């Protein structure tokens, strides 16, 4: 998310009381309702990640990397129900046949006054009487009357899609200040909250005291409501980095499991740390390997290094996540820099860079989450993200190996369905390369969807570009 300046703490006592009075007067009615060069890096063999192995029950909910659309890159914190539904319908009509099946409402759907990706500090939030965030009815009319996201989720399910929402870690500060009771618990929000554990870039929430007996009550009650609404995918933010809140991750895992509903769990932001990989695999379906990813070449170059580093830790149901794909029309009401920089635009990535990005994400089996406004979809972008010969790499079994050199990265996947090979050029000049002697002839250009001449043994990769081939 765009980072804004925050004190990182609750207001002092007089200011806190003033904040509560302001909320009570104006909003309590709502309470009712690295460098990518990586020269000469060793090969990374991910055969173990592809081998059959026992998984945890929730891993079955994301047996292959999740695919879908998220509102953040285009609309920031301000997406409306109408805009969300427009994009969901297009996702169902044009993308669902290719595996894109999840439509997610990103941050601050409970903030009635959100207008962009910039947050209003200590804005009044729409909560229920137990402190749980509720969709703002002015933005999500179907939520009026305390119905929450249930009507919207039902519409999305009728399209054949899964319904996703974004959450911030912890308890709303507003609920803490109002000392609201936790549903089904003898404790109140202020008793469970850790007011010293706050987000550096958003003032909505503070963390919980994981050791407090009411901490699980809070998450259990919140996720029970999400389950009642029909939520299928949850993106929890301010939890994976810069500090990994392992105990809150564990509480969330327990809370999801207690609902009996299969909700895929995504953790943000990144970069996550490799020494947390086992814990991440044991509790989440996906986790970010980078901070917020936007359409600049340095970020893309560096994210390739993240993907290669995390490749051995991908498992069925537990996926390193390189973040959303900023393709097509983005930034309608979001800004990835100080205002007014980088507003509405077509992606700044060149076409070669977009091919490189999709090649890297699919080879590394990152979730594929579109970040654009699908209402303004162009044909080239549609073909880019729905190429079946490329998307196949998300699902095929086999031993996977990455090797990094000064010019970029090489990927090979050997399995029962054949051999794929990819070269990703992070340099500024064309990369002409002979195929290694141990690799069969290149016979199929996956991006061109065309056969190559017989005996092809030399490929040219454009600067900031990629080649992905099937070998004989």
């Amino acid at each position: 998310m765009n980072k804004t300046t925050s004190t990182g703490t609750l207001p002092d006592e007089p200011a806190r009381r003033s904040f509560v009075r302001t909320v009570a007067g104006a909003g309590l009615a709502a309470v009712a309702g690295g460098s990518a060069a990586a020269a000469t890096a060793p090969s990374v063999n991910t055969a173990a990640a592809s081998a059959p192995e026992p998984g945890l029950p929730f891993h079955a909910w994301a047996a292959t990397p999740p695919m879908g659309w998220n509102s953040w890159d285009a609309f920031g914190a301000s997406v409306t129900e109408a805009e969300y539904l427009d994009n969901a319908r297009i996702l169902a009509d044009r993308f669902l046949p290719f595996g894109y099946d999840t439509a997610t409402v990103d941050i601050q759907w409970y903030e009635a006054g959100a207008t962009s990706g910039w947050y209003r500090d200590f804005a009044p939030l729409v909560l229920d009487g137990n402190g749980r965030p509720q969709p703002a009815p002015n933005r999500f009319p179907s939520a009026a009357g305390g119905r929450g996201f249930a009507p919207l989720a039902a519409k999305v399910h009728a399209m054949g899609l899964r319904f996703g929402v974004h959450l911030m870690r912890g308890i709303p500060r507003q609920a803490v200040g109002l000392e609201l009771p936790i549903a089904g618990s003898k404790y109140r929000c202020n008793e469970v909250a850790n007011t010293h554990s706050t987000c550096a870039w958003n003032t909505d929430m503070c963390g919980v005291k994981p050791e407090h007996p009411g901490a699980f009550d809070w998450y259990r009650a919140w996720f029970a409501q999400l389950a009642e609404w029909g939520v299928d995918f949850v993106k929890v933010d301010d939890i994976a980095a810069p500090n990994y809140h392992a105990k809150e991750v564990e509480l969330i895992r327990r809370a999801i499991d207690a609902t009996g509903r299969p909700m895929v769990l995504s953790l943000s932001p990144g970069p996550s740390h490799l020494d947390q990989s086992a814990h991440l695999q044991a509790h989440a379906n996906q986790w970010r390997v980078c901070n917020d990813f936007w359409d600049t070449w340095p970020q893309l170059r560096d994210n390739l290094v993240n993907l290669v580093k995390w490749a051995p830790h991908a498992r069925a149901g537990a996926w390193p996540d390189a973040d959303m794909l900023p393709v097509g029309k983005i930034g309608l009401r979001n800004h990835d820099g100080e205002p007014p920089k980088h507003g509405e635009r077509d992606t700044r990535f060149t076409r070669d860079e977009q091919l490189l990005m999709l090649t890297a994400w699919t080879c590394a089996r990152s979730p594929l989450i579109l970040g654009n406004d699908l209402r303004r979809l162009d044909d080239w972008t549609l073909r880019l993200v729905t190429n079946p010969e490329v998307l196949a790499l998300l699902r095929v079994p086999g031993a996977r190996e990455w090797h990094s050199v000064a010019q970029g990265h090489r990927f090979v996947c050997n399995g029962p369905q054949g051999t794929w090979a990819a070269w990703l050029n992070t340099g500024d000049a064309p990369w002409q390369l002979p195929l290694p002697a141990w690799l069969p002839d290149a016979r199929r250009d996956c991006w061109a969807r065309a056969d190559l001449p017989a005996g092809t043994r030399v490929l040219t990769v454009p600067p900031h570009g990629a080649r992905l081939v099937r070998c004989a």
Side-chain angles (χ1 to χ4, degrees):
M1 307 302 108
N2 282 343
K3 309 303 186 284
T4 57
T5 302
S6 168
T7 62
T9 61
L10 280 168
D12 59 20
E13 188 64 17
R16 184 176 75 87
R17 294 299 181 191
S18 175
F19 171 61
V20 171
R21 286 195 297 272
T22 300
V23 171
L28 191 52
V31 171
S35 170
T40 66
S43 297
V44 177
N45 192 310
T46 60
S50 301
E53 60 181 39
L56 296 166
F58 71 88
H59 287 161
W61 307 342
T64 58
M67 301 171 66
W69 174 85
N70 178 291
S71 61
W72 172 253
D73 282 0
F75 301 101
S78 67
V79 71
T80 66
E81 182 169 346
E83 291 165 334
Y84 170 85
L85 281 173
D86 284 346
N87 278 274
R89 292 186 187 102
I90 296 168
L91 191 73
D93 290 344
R94 308 191 72 178
F95 293 87
L96 183 57
F98 298 93
Y100 294 89
D101 66 355
T102 302
T104 299
V105 180
D106 210 271
I107 194 168
Q108 283 199 323
W109 38 269
Y110 43 79
E111 213 278 71
T115 59
S116 72
W118 296 97
Y119 311 119
R120 300 189 303 154
D121 284 353
F122 304 106
L125 310 178
V126 183
L127 309 178
D128 71 3
N130 296 114
R132 294 172 294 192
Q134 305 292 300
N138 65 315
R139 293 170 51 198
F140 298 92
S142 69
R147 291 175 292 179
F149 270 137
L152 184 55
K155 290 181 180 179
V156 170
H157 293 157
M159 300 177 197
L161 299 174
R162 296 196 284 184
F163 179 68
V165 296
H166 174 288
L167 309 179
M168 292 293 291
R169 171 184 68 90
I171 302 179
R173 297 192 203 212
Q174 180 175 321
V176 175
L178 293 170
E179 301 181 355
L180 296 177
I182 296 171
S185 175
K186 65 181 181 181
Y187 300 106
R188 292 182 173 271
C189 293
N190 56 297
E191 297 177 278
V192 172
N194 179 357
T195 57
H196 300 289
S197 177
T198 55
C199 177
W201 43 268
N202 179 280
T203 61
D204 292 347
M205 314 285 278
C206 57
V208 302
K209 301 169 186 172
E211 70 283 355
H212 192 288
F216 177 65
D217 290 351
W218 164 255
Y219 278 120
R220 175 198 49 75
W222 194 4
F223 278 87
Q225 183 174 78
L226 298 176
E228 290 173 4
W229 288 346
V231 172
D232 307 294
F233 180 100
V234 181
K235 174 183 174 183
V236 181
D237 213 337
D238 186 41
I239 198 164
N243 300 310
Y244 183 55
H245 297 273
K247 291 183 178 180
E248 288 200 62
V249 171
E250 292 170 13
L251 290 173
I252 290 169
R253 174 78 270 143
R254 286 176 57 200
I256 292 175
D257 293 345
T259 70
R261 183 175 182 82
M263 282 186 268
V264 172
L265 176 59
S266 170
L267 303 180
S268 288
S272 299
H273 298 291
L274 284 172
D275 60 2
Q276 300 289 353
S277 60
H279 192 269
L280 289 161
Q281 292 166 351
H283 295 89
N285 295 110
Q286 62 185 72
W287 56 89
R288 285 267 294 278
V289 302
C290 61
N291 205 329
D292 281 14
F293 175 70
W294 283 103
D295 50 330
T296 71
W297 170 247
Q299 286 180 283
L300 176 53
R301 179 198 62 205
D302 294 346
N303 220 1
L304 299 187
V305 177
N306 295 331
L307 284 170
V308 173
K309 179 176 67 175
W310 274 96
H313 303 278
R315 297 288 188 274
W319 307 106
D321 175 14
D323 202 10
M324 292 170 284
L325 299 167
V327 296
K329 184 72 72 175
I330 59 175
L332 275 68
R333 295 197 299 276
N334 202 354
H335 314 283
D336 57 319
E338 294 300 319
K341 287 176 60 179
H342 309 324
E344 179 175 341
R345 64 187 184 277
D346 292 316
T347 182
R348 292 171 295 195
F349 285 138
T350 67
R351 289 189 171 185
D352 281 335
E353 289 168 351
Q354 292 177 72
L355 289 175
L356 180 146
M357 176 173 60
L358 265 293
T359 303
W361 268 235
T362 51
C363 290
R365 294 177 297 175
S366 169
L368 296 184
I369 308 298
L370 303 170
N372 53 324
D373 183 1
L374 300 180
R375 301 172 302 176
R376 307 189 192 188
L377 184 69
D378 62 279
D379 289 341
W380 189 88
T381 301
L382 177 64
R383 283 181 58 82
L384 171 79
V385 298
T386 60
N387 184 323
E389 298 189 36
V390 177
L391 296 180
L393 271 170
L394 288 175
R395 300 177 177 87
V396 297
R400 294 165 180 256
E401 179 182 291
W402 287 91
H403 182 67
S404 299
V405 295
Q407 298 96 325
H409 309 276
R410 183 189 71 209
F411 166 83
V412 177
C413 175
N414 284 302
Q417 299 180 24
T419 299
W420 279 260
W423 290 264
L424 299 92
N425 185 357
T426 58
D428 296 324
W431 183 10
Q432 189 170 47
L433 50 93
L435 271 63
W438 50 265
L439 197 63
D441 293 349
R443 63 174 178 82
R444 180 76 176 174
D445 186 325
C446 296
W447 278 115
R449 308 188 197 188
D451 290 336
L452 292 165
T456 296
R457 300 292 306 171
V458 177
L459 297 173
T460 300
V461 188
H464 297 196
R467 297 291 301 273
L468 174 62
V469 298
R470 294 285 299 270
C471 297

